[in-house]
């Protein structure tokens, strides 16, 4: 895979060293006042006019208060460290900001576009130094002008913390994106691969801008499913890099929406060309799915199956046995420790979904496994998931992918699991502080309501059942 690593400059506006980002707090009030005024303090500390220690993603003041923390994003400083882009100051080279290549385009809002490239693109990538959704995405914009407005719309929404009352600019950009996208489809001025990326980003961002947890980009997802099949079957080597980026985003998005679609919208498909594709694609790193695109594909199958069973469909024991075997035998190709931990958490999450939302494969045929044994097996999976998740530091970029296993594991915690419930909510708060997405807060709300119901003795109510009863179509993660 082409690598996009650009070494970050040390002399810009903000440090990209994770150690420097996590500043230690002062031990005395005098030390606090002697420090330089924070440039990346959180919104809450700024409103209270107090010094923020800038601990990312949750500052220590917000953590002590138990409040949500909304920190300023840490911008990636894509400043190329080459001699002809430097000047001299006191005998030392001074790095210059690389100008935005498309700043003179009439469709480009330079500020919003730069904000996407330096900040917003980070919430979709587990490798911020090798992120094709940042500056490398500029090479696709000339082929699909609608992509400009998609990115600018998401940037404007992120700047406004996705609050509906401040979304006018975002909605205006999104309207322009939809109009331009329709024109590109009608005139076929953009290639199918470029349109696929625009379609995915439009659909994924639908839930980010929704005022209620009932918009997950259904129409876009259904269209993307059709396009994905064409892309896989076509296998055009000229667009392989772009298709790899889009397919990874699509598979993860599909998995996150698996519980939202009605079974008639998205019927279960066990074997198709997509399975062959993800099996091979897992050998290549992806900015979102890393080496686990095949695992996310299996989880999307489980999610749709659980959704159909929750809707009253008969259980398919052969499928359950097949998918259980796939998960039990799954061997991750991840090499980085945080990626390995996340993949194992997702693998156990898949088994937990299968056992909790459907039942142990074959349990209607044989009664060898008692109810208590099943419950203990499910509980152990949930505890394992939480343990795996908490081994990853809260300022890790892998934090952005932890919501789904946190929900399924957290839903199993009882009134006796006070510490585990606290840790799950604390980690979800950290995710929100990283991505600002309202669906993360809705996930916390769903867990809080579920815990009250289960503590009252209604332990047969699952998070999926509660979500459907509330009329939610929450795109998790």
């Amino acid at each position: 895979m082409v690598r996009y690593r650009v070494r970050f400059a040390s002399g810009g506006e903000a440090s990209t060293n994770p150690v420097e980002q996590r500043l230690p707090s002062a031990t005395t009030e005098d030390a606090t006042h002697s420090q330089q005024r924070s440039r990346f303090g959180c919104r809450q500390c700024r409103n209270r006019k107090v010094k923020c220690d800038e601990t990312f993603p949750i500052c220590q003041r917000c953590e002590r208060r138990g409040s949500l923390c909304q920190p300023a994003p840490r911008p990636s400083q894509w400043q190329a460290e080459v001699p002809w882009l430097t000047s001299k100051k006191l005998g030392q080279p001074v790095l210059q900001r690389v100008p935005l290549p498309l700043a003179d385009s009439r469709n480009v809002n330079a500020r919003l576009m730069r904000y996407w490239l330096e900040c917003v693109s980070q919430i979709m990538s587990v490798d911020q130094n090798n992120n094709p959704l940042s500056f490398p995405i500029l090479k696709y914009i000339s082929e699909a002008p609608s992509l400009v407005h998609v990115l600018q719309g998401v940037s404007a929404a992120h700047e406004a913390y996705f609050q509906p009352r401040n979304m006018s600019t975002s909605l205006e950009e999104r309207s322009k994106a939809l109009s331009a996208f329709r024109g590109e489809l009608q005139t076929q001025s953009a290639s199918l691969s470029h349109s696929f990326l625009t379609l995915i980003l439009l659909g994924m961002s639908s839930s980010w801008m929704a005022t209620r947890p009932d918009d997950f980009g259904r129409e876009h997802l259904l269209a993307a499913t059709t396009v994905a099949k064409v892309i896989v079957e076509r296998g055009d080597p000229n667009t392989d890099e772009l298709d790899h980026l889009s397919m990874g985003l699509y598979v993860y998005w599909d998995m996150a929406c698996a519980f939202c679609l009605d079974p008639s919208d998205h019927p279960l498909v066990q074997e198709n060309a997509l399975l062959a594709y993800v099996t091979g694609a897992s050998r290549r790193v992806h900015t979102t799915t890393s080496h686990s695109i095949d695992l996310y594909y299996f989880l999307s199958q489980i999610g749709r199956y659980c959704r159909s069973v929750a809707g009253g469909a008969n259980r398919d024991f052969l499928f359950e046995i097949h998918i259980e075997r796939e998960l039990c035998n799954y061997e991750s190709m991840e090499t980085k420790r945080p990626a390995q931990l996340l993949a194992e958490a997702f693998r156990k999450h898949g088994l937990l979904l299968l056992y909790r939302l459907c039942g142990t494969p074959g349990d209607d045929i044989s009664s060898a496994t008692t109810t208590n044994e099943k419950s203990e097996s499910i509980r152990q999976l949930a505890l394992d998931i939480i343990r795996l998740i908490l081994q990853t530091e809260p300022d890790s970029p892998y934090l952005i992918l932890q919501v789904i296993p946190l929900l399924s594991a957290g839903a199993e915690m009882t009134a006796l699991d006070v510490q585990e419930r606290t840790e799950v909510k604390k980690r979800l708060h950290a995710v929100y502080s990283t991505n600002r997405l309202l669906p993360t807060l809705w996930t916390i709300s769903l867990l809080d309501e579920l815990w009250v119901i289960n503590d009252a003795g209604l332990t047969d109510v699952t998070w999926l059942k509660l979500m459907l009863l509330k009329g939610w179509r929450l795109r998790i993660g």
Side-chain angles (χ1 to χ4, degrees):
M1 176 181 177
V2 177
R3 293 190 64 81
Y4 301 107
R5 180 178 296 277
V6 176
R7 187 179 174 202
F8 294 121
S10 58
E13 297 177 357
S15 170
T16 54
N17 186 326
V19 176
E20 295 175 2
Q21 286 180 359
R22 199 176 181 85
L23 297 176
S25 61
T27 56
T28 66
E29 286 298 318
D30 290 339
T32 299
H33 289 299
S34 66
Q35 291 179 355
Q36 182 182 2
R37 182 179 180 182
S38 66
R39 290 172 294 176
F40 296 96
C42 75
R43 198 182 193 189
Q44 287 68 24
C45 287
R46 292 200 305 273
N47 289 341
R48 291 171 177 263
K49 297 182 179 180
V50 296
K51 179 77 165 84
C52 182
D53 63 85
E54 300 185 18
T55 303
F56 188 80
I58 300 178
C59 79
Q60 294 180 18
R61 287 185 185 273
C62 287
E63 185 171 6
R64 286 195 298 268
R65 288 195 300 264
S67 61
L68 289 174
C69 187
Q70 295 176 322
R74 269 53 176 172
S76 298
Q77 298 180 48
W78 288 72
Q79 299 172 332
E81 293 187 334
V82 291
W84 55 88
L85 286 178
T86 62
S87 60
K88 296 290 184 178
K89 182 177 181 181
L90 299 178
Q92 298 295 326
V94 178
L95 299 172
Q96 307 298 314
R97 285 175 76 93
V98 177
L100 188 64
L102 298 177
D104 58 346
S105 170
R106 59 190 178 93
N107 293 321
V108 173
N109 180 313
R111 181 183 61 80
L112 289 178
M113 184 59 67
R114 186 176 292 282
Y115 187 73
W116 166 274
L117 301 172
E118 296 180 344
C119 300
V120 186
S121 60
Q122 296 181 29
I123 72 173
M124 300 176 67
S125 176
V126 297
D127 188 349
Q128 295 168 7
N129 288 346
N130 185 29
N131 183 3
L133 289 167
S134 188
F135 269 74
I137 205 172
L138 291 176
K139 62 186 174 183
Y140 304 131
I141 287 179
S142 60
E143 295 292 332
S146 59
L147 192 56
V148 174
H149 297 296
V150 176
L151 304 185
Q152 292 176 172
V154 177
S155 290
H158 189 274
E159 276 190 323
Y161 291 86
F162 295 95
Q163 297 299 319
R165 63 182 180 274
N166 299 322
M167 296 277 276
S168 58
T169 300
S170 175
L171 294 176
E172 181 181 349
E173 288 290 335
R174 189 171 181 84
S175 177
K176 292 178 180 178
L178 290 169
S179 177
F181 188 51
R182 284 193 293 268
E184 290 164 9
L185 293 177
Q186 291 171 356
T187 61
Q188 297 184 355
S189 58
S191 71
L192 184 62
S193 294
H194 289 86
S195 296
F196 189 35
L197 178 60
T198 302
L199 179 63
I200 290 169
L201 292 178
L202 274 171
M204 291 183 74
S205 59
S206 290
S207 63
W208 302 349
M209 302 180 188
T211 57
R212 279 182 41 81
D214 54 10
D215 183 357
F216 59 93
R218 173 182 174 272
E219 293 80 6
H220 295 97
L221 181 58
L222 294 177
T225 301
T226 301
V227 176
K229 293 178 181 178
V230 176
I231 294 287
V232 168
E233 293 170 356
R234 182 190 63 181
D236 185 356
N238 294 323
T239 58
D240 177 66
E241 180 184 316
L242 175 56
D243 290 341
H244 179 66
L245 171 62
S246 299
M247 288 300 298
L249 293 173
Y250 163 73
V251 170
Y252 181 83
W253 176 34
D254 180 50
M255 182 266 297
C257 294
F259 306 99
C260 302
L261 281 167
D262 292 332
S264 58
D265 278 338
H266 208 166
L268 183 69
V269 178
Q270 296 186 35
E271 298 290 341
N272 56 22
L274 184 57
L275 174 58
Y277 175 86
V278 299
T279 301
S282 63
R283 299 183 181 91
R284 301 170 57 185
V285 71
H286 185 276
T287 192
T288 300
T289 60
S290 191
H291 289 289
S292 298
I293 187 173
D294 53 342
L295 176 58
Y296 294 131
Y297 171 80
F298 291 135
L299 294 175
S300 70
Q301 299 295 300
I302 295 174
R304 282 196 290 277
Y305 177 74
C306 290
R307 175 66 183 87
S308 66
V309 171
N314 293 326
R315 291 175 61 183
D316 182 343
F317 294 110
L318 290 179
F319 171 77
E320 291 181 13
I321 292 170
H322 162 73
I323 205 70
E324 181 187 37
R325 185 184 304 117
E326 291 286 352
L327 287 175
C328 289
N329 295 334
Y330 181 78
E331 294 184 4
S332 172
M333 297 185 66
E334 303 289 2
T335 56
K336 296 181 179 179
R337 178 64 173 164
Q340 292 171 344
L341 292 170
L342 185 67
E344 182 62 8
F346 266 106
R347 187 187 71 83
K348 289 179 178 290
H349 153 76
L351 291 170
L352 175 57
L353 286 180
L354 187 62
Y355 300 156
R356 184 69 170 95
L357 301 181
C358 300
T360 305
D363 59 4
D364 282 0
I365 301 174
S366 171
S367 59
T369 304
T370 66
T371 301
N372 288 338
E373 288 174 336
K374 294 175 188 175
S375 298
E376 183 55 34
S377 175
I378 291 172
R379 174 176 169 76
Q380 190 56 56
L381 282 170
L383 291 172
D384 287 348
I385 291 169
I386 295 174
R387 175 183 56 81
L388 289 163
I389 291 293
L390 295 181
Q391 288 184 58
T392 301
E393 292 296 322
D395 58 354
S396 167
Y398 287 88
L399 189 78
I400 60 174
L401 302 180
Q402 293 182 348
V403 175
I404 296 175
L406 279 172
L407 172 60
S408 64
E412 301 303 321
M413 297 298 101
T414 69
L416 299 176
D417 303 312
V418 177
Q419 182 63 29
E420 286 77 9
R421 284 183 174 183
T422 300
E423 292 295 339
V424 167
K425 287 188 65 174
K426 183 177 178 181
R427 183 52 63 98
L428 287 171
H429 284 155
V431 175
Y432 171 74
S433 295
T434 301
N435 62 23
R436 302 184 180 182
L437 300 182
L438 293 180
T440 307
L441 298 183
W442 293 331
T443 300
I444 297 172
S445 175
L446 187 69
L447 274 177
D448 281 334
E449 189 172 347
L450 180 67
W451 287 337
V452 171
I453 293 172
N454 288 346
D455 291 351
L458 302 176
T459 56
D460 62 328
V461 178
T462 65
W463 66 263
L464 177 57
K465 183 182 293 187
L466 177 60
M467 186 183 79
L468 296 176
L469 286 172
K470 289 169 66 67
W472 285 13
R473 292 298 184 269
L474 180 60
R475 194 208 115 184
I476 310 162

